[in-house]
Amino acid sequence: MVFTSSSQARRGLAFALLGAVLGACFLVAWKESVRHASPSAAVLVMLSSAAVLNSASALLALARNPGQLTAVSIREMTLLAAILALFTLAGSWASAEAVSRMSGAGLAVLQRCEVIWVALLGALLLGEQVRASFWVGTLIAGGGLVVLQSPELDARAFGPAGVLFGLGSAFCVGSITVLSRRYIRRVQPVVLNALRLWISVGLWFAVERLPGPGMLSAPLLLYAGMAGFFGPFLARVCLLLSARDLPARTTALLSLAIPVITLLLDFALLAELPSTRELEGGSLILLGVALPIAVTLQPTKPRAETQRVS
């Protein structure tokens, strides 16, 4: 179990919140990308663009501090990156299949099931004890997600295939969050992310056929490239950095705010006013997220041993 100070918790929360904002931007671009190509082609472009961008960041980080990598750390990062790449490719494929069968908002709701998986897996692998405030906050935020859904939403939008793919995506993303938390202090986050993405691209070519020239249209390159920029590149780096200071479940909990952030983006970019139902659901989600976060940021009295962060 890793313990952090209040200042470290605030830093971790800032990175996690930024990751949630970028995650909302990713969903908007990802939904558009699968409208212009098959899910497998969209995954390739998204992962490739993210890998190129992250490699540039990794090279800059290593140029500033070339001595931060050792033979041991390279071996550890390569092994961890390979495991994360398997979850990355499987999760990307599952989310692409899901979003081709349902709305982006529907997928966002299903992917939030990762919060429960992260809490359970974190307790098992990391020894992170889950306080009552987390479960209460998750229950409140879950109620907000239910309220947020349109009562006119066609039941077919949550068909069995789409639901299974969406839950599979949540399982993969949650596993990445917990594994990153376990080993993050022994690796360089930006380099790890670059290795993860390139191995994911290599695995794609191992299981898929090369797309023909007609499959890589300009809209696909644009939207899938934007999705790669916002999601696997920027959002994942932010979440890796937050994992240094926050329990995995807290980072995952903040992802519940993604649907609310999406509403705010719609208002800011498209001038679309949220409905009363959306305001009520969004308020419940924010309340549910804020409750355990407030407990995390509460100053604690010094003890003989280290202090625990909820």
Side-chain angles (χ1 to χ4, degrees), residues 67-147:
Q68 61 185 310
L69 291 183
T70 64
V72 174
S73 66
I74 291 174
R75 286 197 300 271
E76 287 182 341
M77 278 197 296
T78 302
L79 178 59
L80 177 58
I83 296 171
L84 296 181
L86 290 172
F87 284 113
T88 298
L89 186 61
S92 299
W93 173 74
S95 69
E97 291 288 348
V99 83
S100 67
R101 291 171 167 81
M102 63 174 60
S103 68
L107 177 60
V109 171
L110 284 175
Q111 285 186 325
R112 302 293 70 81
C113 293
E114 72 171 286
V115 175
I116 298 174
W117 172 241
V118 166
L120 297 176
L121 194 61
L124 179 64
L125 295 183
L126 307 178
E128 294 180 348
Q129 296 182 2
V130 185
R131 292 187 176 181
S133 60
F134 172 84
W135 293 118
V136 172
T138 300
L139 184 62
I140 295 173
L145 288 174
V146 173
V147 173

Side-chain angles (χ1 to χ4, degrees), residues 50-233:
V52 171
L53 291 167
N54 213 103
S55 296
S57 298
L59 290 174
L60 288 175
L62 292 176
R64 294 194 187 98
N65 188 6
Q68 61 185 310
L69 291 183
T70 64
V72 174
S73 66
I74 291 174
R75 286 197 300 271
E76 287 182 341
M77 278 197 296
T78 302
L79 178 59
L80 177 58
I83 296 171
L84 296 181
L86 290 172
F87 284 113
T88 298
L89 186 61
S92 299
W93 173 74
S95 69
E97 291 288 348
V99 83
S100 67
R101 291 171 167 81
M102 63 174 60
S103 68
L107 177 60
V109 171
L110 284 175
Q111 285 186 325
R112 302 293 70 81
C113 293
E114 72 171 286
V115 175
I116 298 174
W117 172 241
V118 166
L120 297 176
L121 194 61
L124 179 64
L125 295 183
L126 307 178
E128 294 180 348
Q129 296 182 2
V130 185
R131 292 187 176 181
S133 60
F134 172 84
W135 293 118
V136 172
T138 300
L139 184 62
I140 295 173
L145 288 174
V146 173
V147 173
L148 201 60
Q149 296 311 295
S150 171
E152 295 83 18
L153 190 64
D154 194 332
R156 290 173 297 178
F158 284 92
V163 169
L164 286 176
F165 281 123
L167 292 177
S169 172
F171 169 82
C172 292
V173 172
S175 299
I176 291 174
T177 299
V178 174
L179 289 173
S180 299
R181 167 68 172 171
R182 179 163 186 170
Y183 298 104
I184 194 61
R185 293 184 179 273
R186 297 162 58 181
V187 298
Q188 215 289 338
V190 180
V191 177
L192 172 65
N193 205 38
L195 286 171
R196 173 184 73 94
L197 290 167
W198 281 120
I199 295 174
S200 299
V201 172
L203 290 173
W204 187 97
F205 282 105
V207 298
E208 297 282 357
R209 291 182 297 178
L210 267 175
M215 296 177 62
L216 302 179
S217 63
L220 169 65
L221 295 175
L222 172 63
Y223 291 115
M226 290 174 60
F229 174 75
F230 288 122
F233 173 41

Side-chain angles (χ1 to χ4, degrees), residues 3-4 6-7 16 20 22 26 38-39 60 87 89 109 112 119 125 136-137 140 214 230 241 271 277 286 290-291 309:
F3 302 94
T4 61
S6 295
S7 61
L22 294 168
F26 162 78
S38 66
L60 288 175
F87 284 113
L89 186 61
V109 171
R112 302 293 70 81
L125 295 183
V136 172
I140 295 173
F230 288 122
L241 292 172
R277 171 183 50 78
L286 293 179
L291 176 62
V309 175

Side-chain angles (χ1 to χ4, degrees), residues 32-43:
E32 286 298 316
S33 69
V34 298
R35 290 178 179 174
H36 299 281
S38 66
S40 62
V43 168

